[in-house]
Amino acid sequence: MRKWKYAFAVAAVLIVCSVLGVQSVTQSESNATQAGEAKGSLVIVGGALSSDNTDVYESFLSLAQKFRNKSKEDVKIGIMPTASSQPFQSASSYRNDFISYGASEENIDIIPIAVSDDPSTEEDESKWVDGAYNKNLAKKMEEYDAIWFVGGNQLDYTSTLLIDGEDTPVLASIKESYKRGAVLGGSSAGAAIMSDPMIGAGTSLGALNEGVTYKDNYGNEDDNRVFLTKGLGFFENGMVDQHFVKRGRFGRLIVGAWDAGNEMAYGIDENTAMVIRNENKSIEVVGESGLVIVDLSKAKKTKDFPAAMKGVSISYIEKGDRYFWDTKKYMITEDKPVIETSYYPASSVNTAIFGEDALKQVLTYDLVDSKSNQAIGLAYELTSEKKGKGFKLVFSQTKDTKGYWGKIDGVESYAAINVSLDLNPMKIKLKEDKVKENKMEKFSK
């Protein structure tokens, strides 16, 4: 703008030169943006984001401010409601949250792209299904400093924002804004779409037993393979999964990442974000729980399923901890010193390793903060009255393993770095002990 004002005060010939110069610089910047790495940031939440999670919301808004050096009140936010079965309600809830943290209501828009009608409104939001092809809407994406993707069904994002695997005008515009410095965020389904390919369905045991499918098996009780499909690909440094520790999804993430050829994979727990800053290639954990980082670079796997795997490197970090993906180095917050003396006794076998919070328990209490050098987890299912199949998971400390513990704001926090994991298929036989009835006592008061 200054160039134009200056040129306006001088001769017409200089105006023309200035215009040509500006066009040249603009074109040069555009080419550099397309060729170079993204300048934007990502705030990827593992689902179940609480409205009072100040750290996550403030991280998102502060990054949005940074993009164009705006005040919080001037930041423009677009909310993508596409994945929700109640798009207006879901988007409105996030809009209210952003307002409560200082954003201005007049600068927050609900982006009209959806597949479901919201019964709470008179408008039929399902008619927004083709919104991603609207060139005027695509142009409007350039105005936003931040775009938020709500939760729901991640396949609704890919079915509307992609056409035959290619970007629609709206998605292409969002990606260009992200390259220039805009911040993108999302929770649950809004997190799953961040990588390409993305995970659409499946269980950990199903993935280890049966492998991968590229056909939608969501809701199919007879098919628990990990379903991989095309994602939006904002995060290019590994596969992402969500609701992670709470739902024991690390088995499906390991199998999915291996099949996709992703050396790195990231599992974000609920009410927690991995904040990605491309400027220094770092990931910071923000929020209530933790982030699991899987490194397959030195792992081995059998070709067939059930899958035997050796040498998977798995780490767990929490609030304030950082990971730098170009160097594979960790920076653990100084509030958590290295564990020099283990607090807990030798661990026992965890018989539900894919259960709620089991992975955190095994990596922390049972391993890096225990007298054990190994921790064992089991996962299995019965295939008949007397037989079953499953996996024995062996978590081991190596020379590269480190544990950290401390308190942050009065709450204990752990980190477990570079734990080695082997996954071994196993078969189960059930043997029922016979009970001699003549030696049983009768109840008496």
Side-chain angles (χ1 to χ4, degrees):
M1 184 62 73
R2 294 194 195 101
K3 291 182 180 179
W4 277 96
K5 289 181 178 179
Y6 177 79
F8 199 79
V10 297
V13 65
L14 293 180
I15 295 176
V16 173
C17 292
S18 179
V19 170
L20 292 174
V22 170
Q23 289 177 339
S24 176
V25 170
T26 302
Q27 185 64 44
S28 175
E29 288 177 348
S30 176
N31 291 340
T33 299
Q34 292 176 6
E37 297 178 351
K39 296 180 179 179
S41 300
L42 301 172
V43 178
I44 308 177
V45 181
L49 177 60
S50 174
S51 295
D52 64 0
N53 195 325
T54 301
D55 291 343
V56 170
Y57 280 101
E58 289 290 0
S59 293
F60 183 73
L61 291 172
S62 64
L63 288 168
Q65 289 178 250
K66 182 180 178 182
F67 175 28
R68 293 187 175 110
N69 194 25
K70 290 184 176 181
S71 67
K72 191 181 291 185
E73 294 79 10
D74 291 332
V75 163
K76 298 205 70 169
I77 302 172
I79 301 176
M80 190 77 73
T82 315
S84 177
S85 60
Q86 297 178 308
F88 185 82
Q89 284 193 45
S90 296
S92 296
S93 177
Y94 279 113
R95 180 174 59 186
N96 292 337
D97 286 343
F98 291 133
I99 292 170
S100 72
Y101 284 99
S104 174
E105 182 176 4
E106 64 185 13
N107 288 327
I108 305 175
D109 296 331
I110 297 175
I111 300 170
I113 302 175
V115 297
S116 301
D117 177 37
D118 193 323
S120 70
T121 69
E122 294 183 1
E123 185 171 2
D124 184 355
E125 288 81 7
S126 67
K127 294 181 179 179
W128 297 352
V129 67
D130 294 325
Y133 303 94
N134 187 308
K135 292 183 179 180
N136 290 329
L137 184 58
K139 183 68 175 176
K140 189 172 181 61
M141 295 300 105
E142 299 174 8
E143 300 176 8
Y144 297 121
D145 304 296
I147 296 175
W148 184 267
F149 295 84
V150 308
N153 184 348
Q154 53 260 46
L155 298 180
D156 289 342
Y157 281 125
T158 54
S159 66
T160 54
L161 295 176
L162 294 169
I163 177 171
D164 296 327
E166 300 297 324
D167 297 350
T168 56
V170 164
L171 180 57
S173 183
I174 291 172
K175 287 186 176 180
E176 282 302 309
S177 292
Y178 172 54
K179 285 182 180 180
R180 290 194 297 270
V183 57
L184 308 179
S187 179
S188 192
I193 59 171
M194 293 290 176
S195 60
D196 181 28
M198 72 174 185
I199 294 178
T203 66
S204 286
L205 202 53
L208 289 165
N209 272 326
E210 306 295 338
V212 173
T213 180
Y214 289 85
K215 293 183 179 180
D216 185 3
N217 62 350
Y218 182 81
N220 184 349
E221 295 182 357
D222 296 324
D223 187 353
N224 289 310
R225 293 174 295 175
V226 57
F227 167 44
L228 296 185
T229 187
K230 188 168 180 60
L232 302 188
F234 301 123
F235 181 57
E236 298 180 343
N237 295 285
M239 186 172 286
V240 172
D241 204 356
Q242 22 74 45
H243 295 283
F244 198 72
V245 179
K246 277 285 184 285
R247 300 186 186 179
R249 287 179 163 173
F250 66 98
R252 79 173 194 177
L253 179 62
I254 290 171
V255 173
W258 181 282
D259 193 85
N262 287 161
E263 182 177 294
M264 303 300 299
Y266 305 85
I268 317 152
D269 202 22
E270 295 181 353
N271 205 25
T272 307
M274 56 183 287
V275 178
I276 294 160
R277 294 178 174 86
N278 286 299
E279 60 185 4
N280 61 2
K281 298 179 174 58
S282 73
I283 297 171
E284 180 182 5
V285 183
V286 174
E288 180 183 39
S289 187
L291 170 70
V292 175
I293 300 177
V294 174
D295 184 347
L296 297 176
S297 61
K298 298 179 181 179
K300 297 179 180 180
K301 177 187 167 299
T302 55
K303 292 182 179 180
D304 301 321
F305 293 90
M309 300 189 74
K310 303 288 184 183
V312 176
S313 178
I314 188 166
S315 300
Y316 175 79
I317 57 177
E318 292 188 329
K319 180 177 181 179
D321 300 332
R322 295 188 181 188
Y323 174 74
F324 297 85
W325 67 75
D326 59 337
T327 60
K328 294 189 177 181
K329 300 294 184 184
Y330 291 87
M331 181 183 293
I332 306 303
T333 175
E334 60 184 15
D335 294 320
K336 292 187 296 198
V338 173
I339 297 173
E340 301 288 356
T341 304
S342 300
Y343 181 80
Y344 294 99
S347 60
S348 57
V349 175
N350 187 303
T351 57
I353 190 58
F354 294 136
E356 182 176 330
D357 294 328
L359 179 61
K360 177 182 176 180
Q361 163 85 29
V362 168
L363 291 174
T364 57
Y365 303 140
D366 294 344
L367 190 64
V368 297
D369 200 12
S370 84
K371 307 298 182 184
S372 301
N373 289 321
Q374 282 191 342
I376 306 297
L378 302 179
Y380 54 89
E381 59 185 355
L382 296 180
T383 55
S384 68
E385 278 191 32
K386 295 185 177 182
K387 292 183 179 181
K389 62 180 181 178
F391 287 83
K392 177 182 179 182
L393 284 72
V394 182
F395 300 83
S396 303
Q397 297 200 52
T398 71
K399 61 180 179 61
D400 298 318
T401 304
K402 288 185 179 180
Y404 301 81
W405 180 89
K407 286 191 174 182
I408 301 176
D409 299 327
V411 179
E412 76 167 11
S413 181
Y414 271 103
I417 306 303
N418 298 325
V419 172
S420 179
L421 169 61
D422 293 344
L423 301 97
N424 304 308
M426 66 178 185
K427 294 180 180 179
I428 297 171
K429 291 184 179 180
L430 299 181
K431 182 179 179 182
E432 185 177 347
D433 289 339
K434 292 183 178 180
V435 178
K436 295 181 179 180
E437 190 172 344
N438 61 350
K439 291 188 176 182
M440 298 175 69
E441 296 181 354
K442 292 184 177 180
F443 174 75
S444 61
K445 292 184 179 179

